[in-house]
Amino acid sequence: MQTAPRKVINAWCMYDWANSAYNLVITSTIFPAYFEGVTKNRMPDNEIEFLGRRFVNTALYNYALGTAFIVVAFIIPILTSIADYRGNKRNFMRFFCTMGAIFCCLLYFFAPEYVPENANRLSSTSLTIGIFCMVLSCIGFWGSLVFYNSFLPDLVPHNQRDRISARGYTWGYIGSVILQILCFIVVFFPESFGFHSKFDKDFMPARISFVLVGLWWFGFAQIPFRYLPINTMKERRELKNVFSNGFLELKKVWTQLKHMRVLKLFLVSFFWYSAGIQTVFLAATQFGAKELHLPTDKLIITIMIIQLVAIPGAIIISRASERFGNIQTLMTVVLIWIGACIGAYYTYTDIQFYILGAVVGLVMGGIQSLSRSTYSNLMPETKDTASFFSFYDVTEKVALVIGMFTFAFIEEQTIHFGGMRNSVLALMFFFMLGFVWLGLTMSALKKAQKQSSGTAQG
């Protein structure tokens, strides 16, 4: 296949620039710390009531995110199949982006009520708004990514996908850091923006940051929406019942996967280590705040270290894959993740937390980028790229559900004797399973390459 024009490839990378601000500010830094702060109360173990049940506040956060991933896992296979049939995956990507950005902005209304006695109270209505907007913005973020990822095999041939995938992640890290710095200015210097009362300084900067993220995401996303290709009218297959045909398409892809041993084994390994990766990243701020009692500024410093180190990390891992092979590189990176989980269990100081953040950052972007490009390279040549990538994304989302629910459940059950430390240690077993299945994938790949070589010589 021919490589797409440079401006189209750069436009594709620009979506990472646009939406990674959500992943950093909302998923990783300001919003988790804000949520933990506004839901903290005098009840035992900071429990809050939601939908008639009491939850540990951070466990509720993880359960809500897990619910969002369940929704994504159910709807994405249908939508991507429809997109492949109708050739309009760019439109679906735009829909989820717009939805996510709007509900991200609406997080501004997730705030406690002002009480003169300085005991700021979070109403049940405000909590419901916060959970609702958090879930829908999360669905928008992850929903748009499946369509974004599916463009990669349409734009570049196999030998360029590792490099372009890494470029997308690199642009995303740079863009998200720029917006994060702008948000930091608002958070750390609230008086400069007219916030003088303790109530305003505690809550308004974070709420403004949520709006800035939504505007940044939606605004820069207009660049890829302008340049990414859409199939011609002749290529589109207008079908009367796109929902039933969508399920038929999924069945066809699943049938192909059952006969592709290497790709199937890779998806199993990806499932297990993905359950650990995203859960670690999503829960890092909560861990620092609750287990180490770090203030917001030190938590933000840690996440910034992760982001900044992730930029060269993605490049280094991409270069390593060119020299040693994708699967071998992934196995090495997963071993580092296992070590990071053990290290987190024994982390007690801010310096240790910074070092741990640097290690996580080094392998965070690289393993995501390399996983995406490895799957793309193992895929068969097909026009139904969105449907194939739906399996990839559903695998990741289901893994996230298991990871987040496991993390929250173990925290609740062991809140008085380990809590989140036990949750982090449990994630190590997900990485161990991922490592084992990567080994099986490598063996199957070598066997397939040997058979292919023998057939060619014959």
Side-chain angles (χ1 to χ4, degrees), residues 114 118 120 195-204:
Y114 175 72
N118 200 31
N120 304 311
F195 306 130
H196 299 289
S197 70
K198 185 180 186 305
F199 181 84
D200 284 343
K201 287 192 290 186
D202 285 347
F203 302 111
M204 283 301 294

Side-chain angles (χ1 to χ4, degrees), residues 46 71 82 129 202 208 210 246 293 337 352:
N46 288 319
V71 174
I82 297 172
I129 290 174
D202 285 347
I208 290 175
F210 307 153
H293 308 292
W337 275 104
Q352 291 174 332

Side-chain angles (χ1 to χ4, degrees), residues 310-339:
I311 296 172
I315 298 173
I316 292 171
I317 291 176
S318 175
R319 299 284 172 80
S321 69
E322 293 176 2
R323 181 172 180 180
F324 302 106
N326 288 23
I327 304 299
Q328 292 92 328
T329 303
L330 284 170
M331 292 179 71
T332 302
V333 173
V334 169
L335 282 177
I336 296 175
W337 275 104
I338 293 173

Side-chain angles (χ1 to χ4, degrees), residues 294 297-307 353-354 357:
L294 297 179
D297 57 347
K298 291 188 176 182
L299 293 174
I300 290 175
I301 289 172
T302 306
I303 300 300
M304 286 296 291
I305 291 173
I306 292 176
Q307 292 297 112
F353 197 55
Y354 294 156

